[in-house]
Amino acid sequence: MLIQIGYELLWDVPSPAPTIVKLYLHPSQLPRLKQPECVTVEPETPIEEFVDEFGNRAGRLILPAGRVRLWNHAIVEDNNRPEPVNPHARQHAVADLPLGTLPYLLGSRYCEVDLLSEIAWQLFGQTPPGWARVQAICDWVHEHVRFGYEYARPTKTAYDVYTERTGVCRDFMHLAVTFCRCLHIPARCAAGYLGDIGVPPCPLPMDFSAWFEVYLDDRWYAFDARHNIPRIGRILMARGRDAVDIAFATSFGSVNLVKFTVWTDKVTEEKSGVRSQESE
């Protein structure tokens, strides 16, 4: 199966603003490309590309004053199967974990392990370690947190989500990740494309999606506390400790996002059609 992906962002920029963007596919996804990415800025603006400390592709540019448009499109191959499920995946003792997983046991800007540790052990300490424990976390967050774009705010942390019981996909992710870390399960945040492939169409505007990955049985597995079912066509853009590391755009100056459109859809035989929805 082929999936066409892309986005369009439109900013009003009062004065030139240095900006870091993570609006590329993750390097692990490049073998899946059938039509390469084409990141374009209008008016034409140079982008200095680099790879950050988490292995994400990123770019630095100076958004010029005025109206700035940035867009991208590509075609990605997918196996058309839901992501793997392994109910027997075991949890490693901390002493046996690979060194590279250890940072994903610690607290971070949006994931307050210290504040939620006692709560996590009260809620999930009696569940079997490993896959069943992570699934219990996803089930709890999915059932107890209400989704809505009106609940989003950039300062919202995992502890805020636990107390308020509302949020967007990144908030579901932050709370689930924090619970996992409290229980000594390495968990990292992830973001990218996720279309309505193999599920009923969602009436909400298309957006980038946030999920998380846990280290069990010598590999990383994807989990999604918001949707809470294995999905088809998840396409990774960035990974990190929390939303700080996977932010799609970080500007050092005043900018106003006036248009944000994301699309991800199957490529039909007739044409490379795109279904897009817009969120302003």
Side-chain angles (χ1 to χ4, degrees), residues 26 28 31 44 80 97 100 107 154 168 193 205 209 230 235 254-255 265 269:
H26 190 270
S28 64
E44 186 174 349
N80 200 23
L97 285 166
V168 292
Y193 296 93
S209 184
I235 302 170
S254 176
V255 298
D265 234 332
E269 294 183 2

Side-chain angles (χ1 to χ4, degrees), residues 129-204:
W131 188 279
R133 182 165 287 177
V134 178
Q135 188 57 60
I137 290 170
C138 285
D139 292 343
W140 192 95
V141 175
H142 181 77
E143 293 168 7
H144 289 82
V145 180
R146 184 167 66 253
F147 180 88
Y149 287 116
E150 67 272 24
Y151 306 126
R153 67 176 186 271
T155 59
K156 198 169 195 175
T157 69
Y159 188 77
D160 293 332
V161 181
Y162 174 75
T163 57
E164 298 172 23
R165 306 292 171 95
T166 60
V168 292
C169 58
R170 86 171 212 164
D171 301 314
F172 284 68
M173 171 188 70
H174 281 149
L175 183 54
V177 161
T178 307
F179 280 153
C180 286
R181 293 178 186 174
C182 291
L183 300 167
H184 307 159
I185 303 170
R188 63 190 184 189
C189 297
Y193 296 93
L194 181 63
D196 298 328
I197 298 174
V199 297
C202 177
L204 298 173

Side-chain angles (χ1 to χ4, degrees), residues 102-115 177-178 181-182 241-242:
L102 298 182
Y104 300 107
L105 292 173
L106 307 178
S108 56
R109 165 68 179 85
Y110 290 100
C111 299
E112 308 104 321
V113 171
D114 53 345
L115 292 180
V177 161
T178 307
R181 293 178 186 174
C182 291
R241 293 165 300 189
D242 58 28

